[in-house]
Every structure is written in C-alpha cells, then in structure tokens.
Amino acid sequence: MFGNYLIGLREGLEASLVVCILIAYLVKTGRKDALKPIWIGIGVAVGVALAFGAGLEFGSQELTFEAQEALGGSLSVLAVGLVTWMVFWMRRTARHLKTELHGKLDAALQMGTGALVATAFLAVGREGLETALFVWASVRASSDGSYAPLAGVILGLLTAVFLGWLFYRGALKINLAKFFTWTGGMLVVVAAGVLAYGVHDLQEAGFISGLADKAFDISATIPPDSWYGTLLKGVFNFQPDPTVVQVTVWALYLIPTLALFLAPIGSGPSVRVKKQKATDEKAEAEASA
C-alpha cells in the first residue's frame, strides 16, 4: 500500500503544483477572467485520465488470460519507461518549472481562450495519463485481491491535493528539487518491481521464455500471505519465487538507473571537461597578460 501511496502522492503533487502555479499567476497578474478556461482545460484533462484508467481496467477484463498477461506486461514496461523519463525530467526542471509555465501561459493569454484551455489541458493531461498508466500497472502488480493498493493511491492523491492547496495559500514551503529527488529515488525502486512483474506477465503470455527457471524460492521463509510478505509486496512488489529473467531485469534496471538519478547534477564527464577547458584557457590568458 505504501508504494501505491507514494505513486499517488508523487504524481498527484506534480499535477497539483502545475495547477497552483497556473492559477496563482493569473490571480497575481489580475487576469481572473482567464481562470474559467484554465479550469475547463484541467477538468477535461482529469476526465481523460480517468477514462483512460477505466479503459485499461475494464477493457482488459474482456481478453483471454494470455492476452491479459501480454497487455499487462507490455503496459507495465511502457509505464516504467514513462515514469523513469518523468522523474529524470522533473529532477532537472523542478527549479525552473514556475518560469517555464509562466512563459507558456503568457503566450496562451495572447492567443485567446482556446489556447488557455489547451495549455491547461496539456500541462495537467500529460501528468494525468502518466499517472493513470503507472497506477494501473502498479496496482495490478501489487494487488492481493483487496482494495488496499487502490486505497493507497487515492490517499496519496488526496494528500497531494491538500499539500497543493497549502502551497497555493502560502502555508507550505516546499524545496521542490529535494522533494522530487527523494521521492523520485523511491519511485525508481517501485518501478523496478513493476518492471519485474511486467516481465513475469510476458513470460506467462509466452513472449519471454524461462518461466520455470526460478532464481530462488523463499516462499517457506516469507509466505506471500503473511503480513510481512504482503508488506514487502505492497512496498517493493516483492515476489518470493522470481524467475532468473525477472531478477536479472530488476537488477539491470535498478542499479544503473538509481546510480544515475542520485548522481549530482552537472557531474557528467562532458561538464568536467568543459570546466577544465575553461580553467586552462583562463590560466593561459593570465600567463600571456
């Protein structure tokens, strides 16, 4: 449940902050007349995201078992790819998110009502579709037949809306860079479990071999129906009897992705080369002076 709560909180807060920034900018610049198109765009985006999530859930129920597993596995892999791109993008742009949105909103104000609706829809809609897809994949991966995973997502979204409201009212100051770095790191761990579960689905559908090749089986030590087994599955999508392919994919994704994500921004080789080149040029200029 915690993993799903984290997804709802992390993804929901992104959308909440986008809404807060758009609304606050219009209010502060005296353009309250433009609030209605913004809310229309936000409402349409939320509706599309909900319809997309409902389509995934109810549409997949009409398929055969193999087709369900193939669809679930493919969408899980896609969801992991999208959320990985998203956490890296947000980590780079968190400091400049407000400036970027203000620029888009200024351009939309000059173009008219339709542009305002489109700006709000695109800003919130992208977050909504990503959230719907990843939540569906994560809930499917961690579901134990109860409503706990879905309840975790809903609680996370409600918390995000409340924090967004506090942020808008000025009652809460958030260091966005640190927040998205820490939650993004935890989300990468959750995504690794979703990816492993997606690979298992593809194995059951017959797209990937090795379903019978177990890496280990500790079901006797950590029974899936025990409270700690349920906790590990809910937080990390832990499986006590994964296949060799699952463990391999999990490790190949988690280790390098987490290392790159937690590495200091601007620590890449190209950056160091540029800094060294600038230092050398400065030294040569001082020597020739």
Side-chain angles (χ1 to χ4, degrees):
M1 181 174 177
F2 174 76
N4 294 288
Y5 174 82
L6 174 65
I7 294 169
L9 175 63
R10 174 64 162 71
E11 302 294 303
L13 190 57
E14 279 189 34
S16 294
L17 291 176
V18 168
V19 172
C20 289
I21 291 171
L22 293 175
I23 300 300
Y25 184 66
L26 291 175
V27 172
K28 289 180 180 179
T29 54
R31 292 302 308 271
K32 291 185 179 182
D33 58 300
L35 288 176
K36 185 177 180 180
I38 292 295
W39 282 117
I40 291 175
I42 292 170
V44 173
V46 172
V48 169
L50 291 174
F52 178 61
L56 289 174
E57 177 61 24
F58 297 110
S60 62
Q61 294 178 3
E62 303 298 324
L63 303 174
T64 63
F65 173 77
E66 289 77 11
Q68 285 183 8
E69 298 304 293
L71 176 65
S74 301
L75 290 180
S76 294
V77 174
L78 176 61
V80 170
L82 287 175
V83 81
T84 303
W85 170 83
M86 179 270 299
V87 295
F88 276 94
W89 176 83
M90 181 55 73
R91 182 170 182 251
R92 291 195 306 269
T93 60
R95 295 181 179 87
H96 314 293
L97 181 62
K98 183 181 294 187
T99 302
E100 180 180 335
L101 287 174
H102 285 176
K104 292 181 179 178
L105 198 52
D106 283 335
L109 285 168
Q110 296 177 3
M111 297 174 65
T113 302
L116 287 171
V117 173
T119 298
F121 173 78
L122 293 174
V124 178
R126 187 196 63 178
E127 304 291 345
L129 292 175
E130 287 179 354
T131 301
L133 178 57
F134 194 61
V135 163
W136 179 81
S138 179
V139 169
R140 188 173 183 273
S142 60
S143 179
D144 54 0
S146 70
Y147 291 102
L150 184 58
V153 172
I154 294 174
L155 287 174
L157 291 172
L158 291 175
T159 303
V161 171
F162 178 67
L163 291 177
W165 179 78
L166 290 178
F167 181 77
Y168 173 77
R169 302 296 297 179
L172 180 66
K173 301 296 182 183
I174 301 176
N175 186 320
L176 295 181
K178 288 185 177 180
F179 174 84
F180 286 123
T181 295
W182 284 105
T183 58
M186 290 187 287
L187 205 57
V188 168
V189 176
V190 174
V194 173
L195 179 61
Y197 187 86
V199 168
H200 184 265
D201 279 351
L202 292 175
Q203 288 183 299
E204 289 192 324
F207 283 87
I208 299 178
S209 60
L211 183 61
D213 299 328
K214 301 295 183 181
F216 53 82
D217 189 347
I218 54 175
S219 301
T221 305
I222 306 180
D225 56 351
S226 64
W227 69 267
Y228 45 92
T230 303
L231 179 64
L232 288 172
K233 183 174 179 61
V235 176
F236 302 110
N237 289 307
F238 174 78
Q239 183 179 338
D241 57 343
T243 65
V244 174
V245 176
Q246 279 184 274
V247 174
T248 301
V249 170
W250 179 86
L252 289 176
Y253 168 81
L254 179 63
I255 296 173
T257 303
L258 200 57
L260 287 172
F261 182 77
L262 296 178
I265 297 177
S267 62
S270 60
V271 175
R272 290 196 297 270
V273 169
K274 290 179 180 178
K275 288 182 178 179
Q276 184 62 47
K277 183 178 179 180
T279 302
D280 293 343
E281 291 176 350
K282 182 178 180 181
E284 291 177 2
E286 291 176 350
S288 60

